[in-house]
Amino acid sequence: MSRPVFTEYVRHIMRFYSRHLQMSQFRSKVDEKNWKACHAVITKLPLKTRDILVYVYGEHDTLPDNVYNASQKYHVHQNNIWDMMKVFERAVAEQRGLI
């Protein structure tokens, strides 16, 4: 099954967001819109879900390795994390106006 066209872009902006959680100044309007879209969606989620997503996208390993490590750290099945990411990525894409 193929991924939606927005997946890679949303993952890119979420990696940036996860590594810069306290941004107030941005290099461009695009960076600002991307950060704010991630922030708007993630702040509506339960704390544990937020922590998992920030961990998965923010770590410097591959995404599959980060999902595995998050599953071990937070005691959540990997499939649940992948499903969580899919829903989150679609919500961010909608918030950002990509779909």
Side-chain angles (χ1 to χ4, degrees), residues 9-98:
Y9 186 70
V10 170
R11 287 179 179 178
H12 169 76
I13 65 176
M14 188 53 192
R15 280 192 298 272
F16 179 82
Y17 175 83
S18 295
R19 295 172 186 169
H20 303 91
L21 294 172
Q22 302 300 322
M23 291 290 288
S24 61
Q25 292 184 323
F26 302 91
R27 288 183 287 178
S28 69
K29 288 287 184 193
V30 171
D31 283 347
E32 183 176 2
K33 287 179 181 180
N34 291 342
W35 190 93
K36 286 182 176 182
C38 291
H39 188 73
V41 173
I42 206 163
T43 55
K44 296 176 184 170
L45 299 174
L47 185 58
K48 185 174 181 178
T49 302
R50 277 189 246 172
D51 290 345
I52 291 169
L53 291 172
V54 167
Y55 181 88
V56 166
Y57 292 106
E59 289 297 305
H60 294 280
D61 212 337
T62 65
L63 215 49
D65 286 341
N66 291 346
V67 168
Y68 172 79
N69 292 334
S71 74
Q72 299 298 306
K73 180 177 180 173
Y74 293 100
H75 308 289
V76 176
H77 195 279
Q78 290 181 58
N79 289 341
N80 293 343
I81 295 175
W82 286 111
D83 291 343
M84 183 186 311
M85 290 168 59
K86 205 178 311 176
V87 170
F88 175 75
E89 289 166 2
R90 175 167 285 285
V92 170
E94 289 173 358
Q95 179 72 30
R96 183 61 178 88
L98 302 175

